[in-house]
Amino acid sequence: MKSVSEQLPSAFNVAAYFLNSNIERGNSQKVACFYQDDTYTYDQLNRFVQRTARSLLTLDLERENRIAILLPDTPELVFAFWGAIWMGAVPVPINTACSIDEIQYILQDSRAKILLTTQEWQKKLTPIPSQFLQHILLKDGDNPFLSRLTQQPDEPFPCAETSRDEPAFWLYTSGSTGKPKGVVHLHQSMVVCAERYAKATLGLQPDDITYSVAKVPFAYGLGNTLYMPMAVGAATVLSDASNAFDIISDIQRYQPTVFFGIPSIYANLLAVQDIAPLDVSSLRLCISAAEQLPESIWQKWRETYNREICEGIGTTEFLHIFLANRLGECKPGTSGRPVPGYDVRVVDENGLPCPPGEIGDLLVSGESLMLGYWNRLRETRQALYGNTMRTGDKYLCDADGYFKFMGRKDDLFKVNGQWVSPLEIEDILHQHPQVLEVAVVPESNEGEQLTRVVAYVSLKPGQEPSPELETSICKFAKQQLPHFKAPKTVRFVEQLPRTATGKIHRKLIGKNQVLAVGTH
Protein backbone atom coordinates (compact mmCIF):
# COMPACT_ATOMS: atom_id res chain seq x y z
CA MET A 1 0.00 0.00 0.00
CA LYS A 2 1.32 3.44 -0.95
CA SER A 3 2.09 5.96 1.76
CA VAL A 4 -0.02 9.12 2.00
CA SER A 5 2.71 11.24 0.43
CA GLU A 6 3.21 8.82 -2.45
CA GLN A 7 -0.45 9.17 -3.35
CA LEU A 8 -0.02 12.90 -3.86
CA PRO A 9 1.15 14.30 -7.19
CA SER A 10 4.74 15.51 -7.27
CA ALA A 11 3.52 18.99 -8.25
CA PHE A 12 1.44 19.85 -5.22
CA ASN A 13 0.35 22.99 -3.37
CA VAL A 14 -1.20 22.17 -0.01
CA ALA A 15 -3.17 25.43 0.29
CA ALA A 16 -4.85 24.82 -3.06
CA TYR A 17 -5.38 21.17 -2.11
CA PHE A 18 -7.42 21.93 1.01
CA LEU A 19 -9.29 24.93 -0.39
CA ASN A 20 -10.12 23.56 -3.82
CA SER A 21 -11.22 20.20 -2.45
CA ASN A 22 -13.90 21.92 -0.36
CA ILE A 23 -15.16 23.91 -3.33
CA GLU A 24 -15.25 20.73 -5.42
CA ARG A 25 -17.16 18.88 -2.66
CA GLY A 26 -19.89 21.51 -2.74
CA ASN A 27 -18.88 23.20 0.53
CA SER A 28 -18.70 26.73 -0.92
CA GLN A 29 -21.45 28.14 1.29
CA LYS A 30 -20.56 26.05 4.32
CA VAL A 31 -19.04 27.89 7.30
CA ALA A 32 -15.29 27.37 7.48
CA CYS A 33 -14.61 29.50 10.56
CA PHE A 34 -16.30 31.51 13.27
CA TYR A 35 -14.68 34.66 14.62
CA GLN A 36 -16.53 36.79 17.16
CA ASP A 37 -19.71 37.93 15.37
CA ASP A 38 -18.43 37.02 11.91
CA THR A 39 -18.46 33.83 9.90
CA TYR A 40 -16.46 32.96 6.80
CA THR A 41 -17.64 30.38 4.30
CA TYR A 42 -15.27 28.19 2.33
CA ASP A 43 -15.97 30.33 -0.73
CA GLN A 44 -15.08 33.52 1.16
CA LEU A 45 -11.99 31.86 2.61
CA ASN A 46 -10.90 30.79 -0.86
CA ARG A 47 -11.35 34.32 -2.22
CA PHE A 48 -9.52 35.99 0.67
CA VAL A 49 -6.61 33.56 0.39
CA GLN A 50 -6.20 34.29 -3.32
CA ARG A 51 -6.45 38.03 -2.69
CA THR A 52 -3.77 37.69 -0.02
CA ALA A 53 -1.51 35.82 -2.42
CA ARG A 54 -1.90 38.56 -5.02
CA SER A 55 -1.33 41.28 -2.41
CA LEU A 56 1.86 39.66 -1.13
CA LEU A 57 3.16 39.37 -4.68
CA THR A 58 2.75 43.14 -5.14
CA LEU A 59 5.02 43.61 -2.10
CA ASP A 60 7.82 41.74 -3.88
CA LEU A 61 7.46 38.61 -1.75
CA GLU A 62 8.89 35.85 -3.89
CA ARG A 63 8.70 32.09 -3.82
CA GLU A 64 10.55 30.55 -0.87
CA ASN A 65 10.74 33.92 0.93
CA ARG A 66 9.54 33.92 4.51
CA ILE A 67 6.65 35.97 5.89
CA ALA A 68 6.38 36.22 9.68
CA ILE A 69 2.88 36.34 11.17
CA LEU A 70 2.65 37.66 14.72
CA LEU A 71 -1.07 37.68 15.45
CA PRO A 72 -3.61 36.08 17.74
CA ASP A 73 -5.93 33.54 16.10
CA THR A 74 -7.82 35.84 13.73
CA PRO A 75 -9.04 35.68 10.11
CA GLU A 76 -6.01 37.75 9.04
CA LEU A 77 -3.68 35.05 10.34
CA VAL A 78 -5.61 32.37 8.43
CA PHE A 79 -5.64 34.36 5.19
CA ALA A 80 -1.93 35.20 5.43
CA PHE A 81 -0.88 31.64 6.27
CA TRP A 82 -2.73 30.03 3.37
CA GLY A 83 -2.14 32.99 1.03
CA ALA A 84 1.63 32.78 1.47
CA ILE A 85 1.63 29.03 0.74
CA TRP A 86 -0.71 29.60 -2.24
CA MET A 87 1.82 31.89 -3.91
CA GLY A 88 4.81 29.71 -2.99
CA ALA A 89 6.17 31.71 -0.06
CA VAL A 90 6.80 30.28 3.40
CA PRO A 91 4.69 31.52 6.36
CA VAL A 92 6.31 31.57 9.81
CA PRO A 93 3.60 32.00 12.46
CA ILE A 94 4.95 33.34 15.77
CA ASN A 95 3.26 32.69 19.08
CA THR A 96 2.15 35.93 20.77
CA ALA A 97 3.06 34.33 24.10
CA CYS A 98 6.75 34.48 23.13
CA SER A 99 8.99 37.04 24.78
CA ILE A 100 10.16 40.08 22.84
CA ASP A 101 13.70 38.65 22.75
CA GLU A 102 12.38 35.37 21.31
CA ILE A 103 10.33 37.18 18.66
CA GLN A 104 13.27 39.33 17.60
CA TYR A 105 15.43 36.23 17.43
CA ILE A 106 12.87 34.44 15.23
CA LEU A 107 12.59 37.43 12.89
CA GLN A 108 16.36 37.50 12.45
CA ASP A 109 16.79 33.73 12.25
CA SER A 110 14.02 33.23 9.69
CA ARG A 111 15.12 36.21 7.56
CA ALA A 112 11.49 37.16 7.06
CA LYS A 113 10.90 39.81 4.39
CA ILE A 114 7.42 40.74 5.63
CA LEU A 115 5.94 40.90 9.11
CA LEU A 116 2.17 40.92 9.65
CA THR A 117 1.31 42.06 13.17
CA THR A 118 -0.59 44.62 15.26
CA GLN A 119 0.22 48.22 16.15
CA GLU A 120 0.74 47.17 19.76
CA TRP A 121 3.34 44.56 18.83
CA GLN A 122 5.02 46.91 16.37
CA LYS A 123 5.59 49.40 19.19
CA LYS A 124 6.92 46.70 21.51
CA LEU A 125 9.38 45.49 18.89
CA THR A 126 10.64 48.92 17.79
CA PRO A 127 13.26 49.06 16.53
CA ILE A 128 12.93 45.72 14.78
CA PRO A 129 16.52 44.58 14.13
CA SER A 130 16.27 42.74 10.82
CA GLN A 131 18.25 43.48 7.71
CA PHE A 132 15.85 41.35 5.67
CA LEU A 133 12.52 42.82 6.79
CA GLN A 134 11.18 45.01 3.97
CA HIS A 135 7.53 45.53 4.90
CA ILE A 136 5.46 45.60 8.07
CA LEU A 137 1.75 44.99 7.54
CA LEU A 138 -0.67 45.84 10.33
CA LYS A 139 -3.93 44.18 11.27
CA ASP A 140 -5.22 47.47 12.68
CA GLY A 141 -4.53 51.19 12.23
CA ASP A 142 -5.13 53.51 9.27
CA ASN A 143 -4.62 50.90 6.55
CA PRO A 144 -5.48 47.51 8.08
CA PHE A 145 -4.51 44.36 6.28
CA LEU A 146 -8.11 43.20 5.82
CA SER A 147 -9.01 46.49 4.08
CA ARG A 148 -6.11 46.02 1.70
CA LEU A 149 -7.52 42.62 0.78
CA THR A 150 -11.01 43.95 0.06
CA GLN A 151 -9.43 46.37 -2.42
CA GLN A 152 -7.86 43.53 -4.38
CA PRO A 153 -9.66 42.41 -7.57
CA ASP A 154 -11.90 39.40 -7.04
CA GLU A 155 -10.35 37.36 -9.85
CA PRO A 156 -8.88 33.85 -9.78
CA PHE A 157 -5.20 33.85 -8.93
CA PRO A 158 -3.37 30.65 -9.91
CA CYS A 159 -1.46 28.90 -7.14
CA ALA A 160 2.28 28.36 -7.36
CA GLU A 161 3.32 25.02 -8.82
CA THR A 162 5.15 23.86 -5.74
CA SER A 163 6.26 20.33 -4.93
CA ARG A 164 4.94 18.03 -2.23
CA ASP A 165 8.56 17.66 -1.07
CA GLU A 166 9.47 21.34 -0.73
CA PRO A 167 9.14 23.51 2.38
CA ALA A 168 5.66 24.95 2.89
CA PHE A 169 5.90 26.57 6.34
CA TRP A 170 8.06 26.79 9.43
CA LEU A 171 7.16 26.45 13.09
CA TYR A 172 9.46 27.43 15.92
CA THR A 173 9.89 25.26 18.99
CA SER A 174 9.11 26.69 22.42
CA GLY A 175 12.77 27.28 23.26
CA SER A 176 12.59 25.62 26.68
CA THR A 177 16.05 24.08 26.17
CA GLY A 178 17.71 27.06 24.48
CA LYS A 179 16.85 29.42 21.64
CA PRO A 180 13.79 28.44 19.56
CA LYS A 181 14.56 26.17 16.62
CA GLY A 182 12.97 26.68 13.21
CA VAL A 183 11.28 23.41 12.18
CA VAL A 184 10.90 23.14 8.40
CA HIS A 185 7.81 21.27 7.18
CA LEU A 186 6.86 20.19 3.67
CA HIS A 187 3.65 20.61 1.65
CA GLN A 188 2.81 16.96 2.22
CA SER A 189 3.10 17.09 6.03
CA MET A 190 -0.34 18.52 6.79
CA VAL A 191 -2.04 16.00 4.51
CA VAL A 192 -0.32 13.12 6.31
CA CYS A 193 -1.48 14.34 9.74
CA ALA A 194 -5.00 15.02 8.49
CA GLU A 195 -5.33 11.53 7.01
CA ARG A 196 -3.66 9.64 9.85
CA TYR A 197 -4.98 11.50 12.88
CA ALA A 198 -7.97 13.69 12.00
CA LYS A 199 -9.69 11.09 9.83
CA ALA A 200 -8.37 7.65 10.80
CA THR A 201 -7.97 8.24 14.54
CA LEU A 202 -10.44 10.95 15.59
CA GLY A 203 -13.00 10.39 12.87
CA LEU A 204 -13.62 14.10 12.28
CA GLN A 205 -16.85 14.71 10.38
CA PRO A 206 -18.09 17.50 8.06
CA ASP A 207 -20.61 18.66 10.69
CA ASP A 208 -17.97 19.04 13.40
CA ILE A 209 -16.96 22.39 14.89
CA THR A 210 -13.48 22.35 16.42
CA TYR A 211 -12.32 24.56 19.27
CA SER A 212 -8.63 24.66 20.20
CA VAL A 213 -7.05 26.14 23.31
CA ALA A 214 -3.63 25.83 21.64
CA LYS A 215 -3.07 28.62 19.14
CA VAL A 216 -2.15 28.33 15.44
CA PRO A 217 1.62 29.00 15.82
CA PHE A 218 1.77 25.90 18.07
CA ALA A 219 1.93 22.68 15.99
CA TYR A 220 -0.97 21.19 17.97
CA GLY A 221 -3.10 24.29 17.39
CA LEU A 222 -2.21 24.55 13.70
CA GLY A 223 -3.75 21.16 13.05
CA ASN A 224 -6.74 21.62 15.35
CA THR A 225 -7.73 24.97 13.87
CA LEU A 226 -6.51 25.10 10.28
CA TYR A 227 -5.91 22.01 8.22
CA MET A 228 -7.70 19.20 10.08
CA PRO A 229 -11.21 20.70 9.97
CA MET A 230 -10.54 21.79 6.38
CA ALA A 231 -9.57 18.23 5.47
CA VAL A 232 -13.15 17.06 6.12
CA GLY A 233 -15.07 20.26 5.38
CA ALA A 234 -15.75 21.03 9.05
CA ALA A 235 -15.80 24.42 10.79
CA THR A 236 -13.49 25.88 13.41
CA VAL A 237 -13.60 28.65 16.01
CA LEU A 238 -10.97 31.38 16.00
CA SER A 239 -10.50 32.67 19.54
CA ASP A 240 -7.77 34.16 21.68
CA ALA A 241 -9.34 32.96 24.93
CA SER A 242 -6.78 31.66 27.41
CA ASN A 243 -8.49 31.61 30.82
CA ALA A 244 -11.14 29.18 32.00
CA PHE A 245 -14.00 31.72 32.13
CA ASP A 246 -13.48 32.95 28.55
CA ILE A 247 -13.22 29.38 27.27
CA ILE A 248 -16.45 28.44 29.07
CA SER A 249 -18.13 31.46 27.46
CA ASP A 250 -16.81 30.49 24.01
CA ILE A 251 -18.05 26.92 24.30
CA GLN A 252 -21.48 28.16 25.36
CA ARG A 253 -21.52 30.57 22.41
CA TYR A 254 -20.20 28.44 19.56
CA GLN A 255 -21.29 24.97 20.71
CA PRO A 256 -18.22 23.13 19.34
CA THR A 257 -18.31 19.37 18.98
CA VAL A 258 -14.56 18.76 19.38
CA PHE A 259 -12.56 20.39 22.16
CA PHE A 260 -8.76 20.37 21.87
CA GLY A 261 -7.46 21.22 25.34
CA ILE A 262 -4.25 21.04 27.32
CA PRO A 263 -3.81 19.63 30.85
CA SER A 264 -3.63 22.98 32.65
CA ILE A 265 -6.89 24.13 31.07
CA TYR A 266 -8.71 20.93 32.03
CA ALA A 267 -7.48 21.45 35.60
CA ASN A 268 -8.62 25.10 35.61
CA LEU A 269 -12.04 24.26 34.16
CA LEU A 270 -12.56 21.72 36.92
CA ALA A 271 -11.32 24.16 39.57
CA VAL A 272 -14.04 26.72 38.71
CA GLN A 273 -16.90 24.30 38.05
CA ASP A 274 -18.76 25.34 41.22
CA ILE A 275 -18.99 28.96 40.14
CA ALA A 276 -18.88 28.57 36.34
CA PRO A 277 -19.99 25.09 35.23
CA LEU A 278 -19.07 24.12 31.70
CA ASP A 279 -21.85 23.14 29.30
CA VAL A 280 -20.48 20.03 27.55
CA SER A 281 -23.73 19.08 25.82
CA SER A 282 -22.32 19.86 22.36
CA LEU A 283 -18.99 18.09 22.89
CA ARG A 284 -18.57 14.62 21.44
CA LEU A 285 -14.75 14.59 21.71
CA CYS A 286 -12.36 16.02 24.31
CA ILE A 287 -8.69 15.86 23.37
CA SER A 288 -5.56 16.66 25.38
CA ALA A 289 -1.94 17.01 24.31
CA ALA A 290 1.16 19.19 24.85
CA GLU A 291 2.14 17.48 28.12
CA GLN A 292 1.10 14.55 30.29
CA LEU A 293 -2.47 14.74 31.62
CA PRO A 294 -2.54 13.61 35.28
CA GLU A 295 -4.74 10.55 35.72
CA SER A 296 -6.57 12.24 38.58
CA ILE A 297 -7.71 15.06 36.25
CA TRP A 298 -8.89 12.50 33.69
CA GLN A 299 -10.95 10.71 36.36
CA LYS A 300 -12.38 13.95 37.76
CA TRP A 301 -13.38 15.13 34.27
CA ARG A 302 -15.12 11.82 33.61
CA GLU A 303 -16.95 11.96 36.95
CA THR A 304 -17.97 15.60 36.49
CA TYR A 305 -18.92 15.73 32.82
CA ASN A 306 -19.30 12.09 31.77
CA ARG A 307 -16.76 12.62 28.99
CA GLU A 308 -13.49 10.81 28.33
CA ILE A 309 -10.40 12.83 27.50
CA CYS A 310 -8.58 11.26 24.55
CA GLU A 311 -5.00 12.08 25.43
CA GLY A 312 -2.26 12.02 22.84
CA ILE A 313 1.25 13.25 22.28
CA GLY A 314 3.09 14.72 19.33
CA THR A 315 5.99 17.04 18.63
CA THR A 316 6.63 20.10 16.49
CA GLU A 317 9.05 17.93 14.54
CA PHE A 318 6.25 15.49 13.58
CA LEU A 319 3.74 18.34 13.28
CA HIS A 320 0.95 16.65 15.19
CA ILE A 321 -0.01 13.63 17.27
CA PHE A 322 1.56 10.18 16.78
CA LEU A 323 0.39 8.49 20.00
CA ALA A 324 -3.28 8.69 20.90
CA ASN A 325 -6.04 7.29 23.03
CA ARG A 326 -9.25 6.48 21.16
CA LEU A 327 -12.78 7.16 22.37
CA GLY A 328 -13.99 4.15 24.33
CA GLU A 329 -10.45 2.75 24.57
CA CYS A 330 -8.80 5.38 26.74
CA LYS A 331 -6.26 4.33 29.33
CA PRO A 332 -5.87 7.24 31.78
CA GLY A 333 -2.31 8.30 32.54
CA THR A 334 -0.99 7.15 29.16
CA SER A 335 -0.38 8.78 25.78
CA GLY A 336 -2.25 5.94 24.10
CA ARG A 337 -1.15 3.74 21.24
CA PRO A 338 0.49 4.58 17.89
CA VAL A 339 -1.52 6.49 15.31
CA PRO A 340 -1.75 4.52 12.02
CA GLY A 341 1.28 5.11 9.84
CA TYR A 342 3.68 5.79 12.72
CA ASP A 343 6.21 3.34 14.13
CA VAL A 344 6.79 4.10 17.81
CA ARG A 345 9.33 2.21 19.91
CA VAL A 346 10.92 2.37 23.36
CA VAL A 347 14.58 1.39 23.24
CA ASP A 348 17.46 1.07 25.69
CA GLU A 349 20.82 2.86 25.53
CA ASN A 350 22.00 0.34 22.93
CA GLY A 351 18.98 0.91 20.68
CA LEU A 352 17.41 -2.44 21.55
CA PRO A 353 13.67 -2.74 22.30
CA CYS A 354 12.79 -2.44 25.99
CA PRO A 355 10.55 -5.12 27.49
CA PRO A 356 7.07 -4.01 28.64
CA GLY A 357 7.21 -1.78 31.70
CA GLU A 358 10.86 -0.77 31.32
CA ILE A 359 11.74 2.91 30.85
CA GLY A 360 13.70 3.79 27.73
CA ASP A 361 14.09 6.35 24.95
CA LEU A 362 11.23 7.04 22.55
CA LEU A 363 11.94 6.63 18.84
CA VAL A 364 9.31 7.61 16.27
CA SER A 365 9.13 7.12 12.50
CA GLY A 366 6.53 8.63 10.20
CA GLU A 367 5.87 10.58 7.01
CA SER A 368 5.13 13.89 8.71
CA LEU A 369 8.66 14.18 10.08
CA MET A 370 10.27 17.58 9.50
CA LEU A 371 12.85 18.22 6.82
CA GLY A 372 15.15 19.47 9.59
CA TYR A 373 15.98 22.42 11.83
CA TRP A 374 16.82 25.63 9.99
CA ASN A 375 20.52 26.42 10.29
CA ARG A 376 20.94 23.75 12.97
CA LEU A 377 22.77 20.94 11.21
CA ARG A 378 24.29 19.46 14.37
CA GLU A 379 20.95 19.32 16.19
CA THR A 380 19.28 17.85 13.09
CA ARG A 381 21.91 15.13 12.79
CA GLN A 382 21.58 14.31 16.49
CA ALA A 383 17.79 14.00 16.31
CA LEU A 384 17.21 12.28 12.96
CA TYR A 385 18.33 9.22 11.11
CA GLY A 386 16.33 8.33 8.03
CA ASN A 387 12.66 8.97 8.78
CA THR A 388 13.18 8.22 12.48
CA MET A 389 13.62 10.73 15.30
CA ARG A 390 15.05 10.41 18.79
CA THR A 391 12.48 12.52 20.60
CA GLY A 392 14.40 12.99 23.86
CA ASP A 393 11.41 11.65 25.81
CA LYS A 394 11.55 8.85 28.35
CA TYR A 395 8.70 6.38 27.97
CA LEU A 396 7.60 2.90 28.85
CA CYS A 397 5.22 0.66 26.91
CA ASP A 398 2.94 -1.53 29.01
CA ALA A 399 1.78 -5.08 28.29
CA ASP A 400 -1.34 -3.75 26.52
CA GLY A 401 0.65 -1.62 24.09
CA TYR A 402 -0.11 1.73 25.73
CA PHE A 403 2.75 4.21 26.01
CA LYS A 404 3.32 6.14 29.25
CA PHE A 405 5.35 9.34 29.36
CA MET A 406 7.94 9.34 32.16
CA GLY A 407 9.50 12.75 31.47
CA ARG A 408 12.02 14.42 29.24
CA LYS A 409 15.47 12.89 29.21
CA ASP A 410 16.73 15.69 31.48
CA ASP A 411 13.73 15.52 33.84
CA LEU A 412 14.51 12.17 35.47
CA PHE A 413 16.82 12.24 38.48
CA LYS A 414 18.20 9.87 41.10
CA VAL A 415 17.35 9.78 44.79
CA ASN A 416 19.14 7.24 46.98
CA GLY A 417 20.60 5.77 43.80
CA GLN A 418 17.17 5.10 42.25
CA TRP A 419 15.66 6.79 39.20
CA VAL A 420 12.69 9.05 39.90
CA SER A 421 10.17 10.37 37.38
CA PRO A 422 8.69 13.71 38.54
CA LEU A 423 5.47 12.89 36.70
CA GLU A 424 4.74 9.94 39.00
CA ILE A 425 4.99 12.19 42.06
CA GLU A 426 3.06 15.03 40.42
CA ASP A 427 0.20 12.70 39.56
CA ILE A 428 -0.17 11.75 43.24
CA LEU A 429 0.00 15.37 44.44
CA HIS A 430 -2.66 16.39 41.90
CA GLN A 431 -5.05 14.20 43.86
CA HIS A 432 -4.74 16.41 46.95
CA PRO A 433 -8.02 18.34 47.16
CA GLN A 434 -6.40 21.78 47.51
CA VAL A 435 -3.71 21.45 44.82
CA LEU A 436 -4.34 22.99 41.39
CA GLU A 437 -0.98 22.42 39.72
CA VAL A 438 2.34 20.97 40.79
CA ALA A 439 5.84 20.55 39.42
CA VAL A 440 8.47 18.36 41.08
CA VAL A 441 12.19 19.05 40.75
CA PRO A 442 15.37 17.80 42.44
CA GLU A 443 17.33 20.20 44.61
CA SER A 444 20.43 20.05 46.76
CA ASN A 445 22.14 22.74 48.79
CA GLU A 446 25.60 23.84 47.83
CA GLY A 447 28.06 21.21 48.94
CA GLU A 448 25.33 18.64 49.59
CA GLN A 449 25.74 15.18 48.12
CA LEU A 450 22.13 14.15 48.66
CA THR A 451 19.30 15.09 46.32
CA ARG A 452 15.95 15.92 47.81
CA VAL A 453 12.54 16.02 46.13
CA VAL A 454 10.93 19.47 46.06
CA ALA A 455 7.34 20.19 45.03
CA TYR A 456 6.29 23.60 43.70
CA VAL A 457 2.55 23.95 44.16
CA SER A 458 -0.13 26.40 43.05
CA LEU A 459 -3.41 26.18 44.91
CA LYS A 460 -7.04 26.10 43.81
CA PRO A 461 -9.03 29.35 43.98
CA GLY A 462 -9.84 30.36 47.53
CA GLN A 463 -7.02 28.34 49.09
CA GLU A 464 -4.23 29.99 51.06
CA PRO A 465 -0.74 28.61 51.81
CA SER A 466 -0.01 27.72 55.41
CA PRO A 467 2.37 25.50 57.40
CA GLU A 468 -0.57 23.20 58.11
CA LEU A 469 -1.28 22.80 54.41
CA GLU A 470 2.38 22.03 53.73
CA THR A 471 2.25 19.32 56.36
CA SER A 472 -0.97 17.96 54.86
CA ILE A 473 0.51 17.75 51.35
CA CYS A 474 3.72 16.04 52.52
CA LYS A 475 1.76 13.56 54.64
CA PHE A 476 -0.56 12.85 51.70
CA ALA A 477 2.45 12.07 49.48
CA LYS A 478 4.13 9.83 52.08
CA GLN A 479 0.99 7.72 52.37
CA GLN A 480 0.99 6.91 48.63
CA LEU A 481 4.62 6.97 47.55
CA PRO A 482 7.81 5.18 48.57
CA HIS A 483 9.57 7.21 51.24
CA PHE A 484 12.45 8.32 48.97
CA LYS A 485 10.01 9.71 46.35
CA ALA A 486 7.84 11.72 48.76
CA PRO A 487 8.65 15.48 48.67
CA LYS A 488 10.56 16.72 51.69
CA THR A 489 9.92 20.35 50.75
CA VAL A 490 6.81 22.11 49.46
CA ARG A 491 6.99 25.62 48.02
CA PHE A 492 3.83 27.50 47.17
CA VAL A 493 3.81 29.76 44.12
CA GLU A 494 1.20 31.97 42.47
CA GLN A 495 1.60 30.04 39.23
CA LEU A 496 4.08 27.74 37.55
CA PRO A 497 6.30 29.12 34.77
CA ARG A 498 5.27 28.01 31.29
CA THR A 499 6.67 28.07 27.79
CA ALA A 500 4.91 29.93 24.98
CA THR A 501 3.14 26.68 24.09
CA GLY A 502 1.75 26.19 27.59
CA LYS A 503 4.09 23.50 28.87
CA ILE A 504 5.58 23.75 32.35
CA HIS A 505 9.02 25.37 31.97
CA ARG A 506 10.99 23.20 34.38
CA LYS A 507 14.25 25.09 33.92
CA LEU A 508 12.61 28.24 35.31
CA ILE A 509 11.01 26.57 38.32
CA GLY A 510 12.31 28.15 41.50
CA LYS A 511 12.55 31.61 39.95
CA ASN A 512 8.92 32.40 40.80
CA GLN A 513 7.91 34.38 43.84
CA VAL A 514 7.61 31.75 46.56
CA LEU A 515 4.64 32.34 48.82
CA ALA A 516 5.64 29.96 51.60
CA VAL A 517 8.40 27.52 52.26
CA GLY A 518 8.46 24.51 54.54
CA THR A 519 10.65 21.48 55.04
CA HIS A 520 9.37 18.22 56.47
Side-chain angles (χ1 to χ4, degrees):
M1 180 179 176
K2 286 186 177 181
S3 65
V4 171
S5 57
E6 288 174 331
Q7 296 177 52
L8 302 176
S10 56
F12 179 78
N13 185 294
V14 71
Y17 171 80
F18 283 123
L19 288 162
N20 290 342
S21 62
N22 276 290
I23 303 302
E24 292 165 1
R25 288 198 298 258
N27 291 336
S28 296
Q29 301 310 310
K30 199 167 181 293
V31 174
C33 56
F34 296 89
Y35 177 67
Q36 297 179 357
D37 295 327
D38 296 325
T39 59
Y40 293 86
T41 65
Y42 274 102
D43 178 65
Q44 290 172 315
L45 179 56
N46 198 12
R47 292 169 184 267
F48 272 113
V49 166
Q50 293 189 43
R51 289 176 181 177
T52 302
R54 180 184 286 107
S55 178
L56 294 176
L57 196 63
T58 64
L59 296 175
D60 298 324
L61 189 71
E62 300 175 348
R63 281 185 61 166
E64 302 180 20
N65 288 165
R66 268 79 72 190
I67 168 175
I69 308 170
L70 178 61
L71 291 175
D73 283 11
T74 58
E76 290 87 345
L77 184 154
V78 176
F79 303 155
F81 183 86
W82 290 122
I85 293 176
W86 186 282
M87 56 87 61
V90 178
V92 182
I94 303 175
N95 198 323
T96 55
C98 287
S99 68
I100 291 176
D101 287 344
E102 288 173 331
I103 292 169
Q104 291 180 333
Y105 171 78
I106 291 171
L107 290 174
Q108 288 181 306
D109 187 62
S110 66
R111 303 175 188 166
K113 289 182 68 174
I114 294 176
L115 168 64
L116 172 60
T117 190
T118 62
Q119 286 183 308
E120 182 181 1
W121 270 110
Q122 184 187 29
K123 291 176 183 177
K124 289 179 181 178
L125 295 168
T126 302
I128 299 177
S130 176
Q131 65 188 92
F132 302 97
L133 199 60
Q134 297 177 5
H135 299 281
I136 298 178
L137 305 177
L138 296 176
K139 174 185 178 295
D140 44 16
D142 296 332
N143 187 22
F145 180 66
L146 200 53
S147 295
R148 295 170 65 116
L149 296 185
T150 58
Q151 297 167 13
Q152 291 290 326
D154 195 11
E155 301 172 357
F157 185 79
C159 69
E161 293 185 1
T162 50
S163 165
R164 70 187 184 197
D165 294 333
E166 74 175 85
F169 61 98
W170 294 8
L171 296 173
Y172 273 81
T173 61
S174 60
S176 58
T177 57
K179 288 188 180 297
K181 296 190 288 289
V183 176
V184 181
H185 274 290
L186 311 178
H187 279 259
Q188 67 182 32
S189 300
M190 289 188 279
V191 182
V192 173
C193 294
E195 293 295 323
R196 298 301 194 190
Y197 183 66
K199 294 182 180 181
T201 303
L202 292 184
L204 285 189
Q205 302 296 324
D207 58 352
D208 276 323
I209 300 173
T210 68
Y211 183 95
S212 178
V213 171
K215 306 310 174 190
V216 167
F218 182 16
Y220 179 44
L222 182 74
N224 306 342
T225 301
L226 285 193
Y227 62 87
M228 288 189 178
M230 289 181 69
V232 299
T236 194
V237 176
L238 299 175
S239 172
D240 202 35
S242 58
N243 67 67
F245 298 106
D246 289 343
I247 291 169
I248 290 169
S249 177
D250 275 349
I251 290 176
Q252 178 68 38
R253 177 179 186 178
Y254 297 108
Q255 294 288 291
T257 59
V258 182
F259 177 64
F260 291 97
I262 59 176
S264 60
I265 290 298
Y266 282 108
N268 289 333
L269 290 172
L270 287 169
V272 301
Q273 61 166 317
D274 291 338
I275 58 175
L278 174 67
D279 178 9
V280 300
S281 59
S282 67
L283 297 177
R284 71 174 189 86
L285 278 176
C286 297
I287 316 296
S288 182
E291 58 186 343
Q292 185 73 37
L293 179 75
E295 184 176 347
S296 55
I297 294 178
W298 191 99
Q299 298 290 1
K300 182 67 173 176
W301 187 266
R302 178 67 178 269
E303 293 168 7
T304 304
Y305 295 117
N306 195 30
R307 295 289 190 278
E308 292 182 314
I309 299 176
C310 297
E311 184 177 3
I313 194 72
T315 63
T316 306
E317 291 84 353
F318 275 99
L319 188 56
H320 215 270
I321 289 173
F322 50 74
L323 283 172
N325 280 280
R326 280 79 166 170
L327 194 64
E329 302 176 10
C330 291
K331 191 167 188 178
T334 76
S335 302
R337 293 179 292 189
V339 168
Y342 291 90
D343 178 41
V344 186
R345 290 171 288 151
V346 178
V347 301
D348 63 20
E349 57 189 15
N350 297 315
L352 299 175
C354 289
E358 184 176 302
I359 299 175
D361 298 314
L362 192 73
L363 301 186
V364 184
S365 301
E367 293 178 80
S368 62
L369 182 59
M370 66 175 180
L371 181 64
Y373 298 119
W374 169 250
N375 272 353
R376 299 285 189 93
L377 179 62
R378 184 175 64 85
E379 288 93 332
T380 300
R381 291 282 191 267
Q382 288 175 341
L384 307 185
Y385 57 99
N387 67 340
T388 299
M389 178 180 178
R390 302 175 182 87
T391 65
D393 294 323
K394 289 289 187 180
Y395 261 82
L396 63 78
C397 181
D398 66 19
D400 297 321
Y402 285 81
F403 288 72
K404 183 176 179 62
F405 180 57
M406 304 306 291
R408 290 289 294 172
K409 192 173 183 179
D410 296 336
D411 292 342
L412 275 68
F413 56 91
K414 281 189 174 182
V415 176
N416 294 344
Q418 300 185 64
W419 282 110
V420 171
S421 168
L423 298 177
E424 177 188 3
I425 304 169
E426 291 164 7
D427 193 41
I428 294 297
L429 295 180
H430 268 113
Q431 298 173 36
H432 190 282
Q434 290 161 285
V435 170
L436 176 63
E437 290 190 301
V438 59
V440 168
V441 296
E443 288 187 7
S444 57
N445 292 330
E446 189 173 347
E448 274 189 3
Q449 297 297 316
L450 297 177
T451 298
R452 66 178 184 273
V453 179
V454 179
Y456 284 79
V457 171
S458 66
L459 299 173
K460 290 180 178 178
Q463 303 298 322
E464 295 292 335
S466 68
E468 293 76 19
L469 182 53
E470 295 177 45
T471 301
S472 170
I473 292 172
C474 287
K475 183 178 179 181
F476 183 83
K478 288 177 182 177
Q479 290 172 343
Q480 302 186 61
L481 288 166
H483 180 75
F484 72 95
K485 293 183 180 180
K488 303 299 186 291
T489 301
V490 173
R491 296 193 176 124
F492 295 108
V493 295
E494 290 280 3
Q495 58 185 10
L496 294 172
R498 294 190 174 274
T499 67
T501 54
K503 298 178 183 179
I504 291 175
H505 202 319
R506 293 184 182 274
K507 292 188 179 299
L508 295 184
I509 290 173
K511 298 181 180 180
N512 297 58
Q513 180 185 7
V514 178
L515 301 180
V517 179
T519 302
H520 303 269

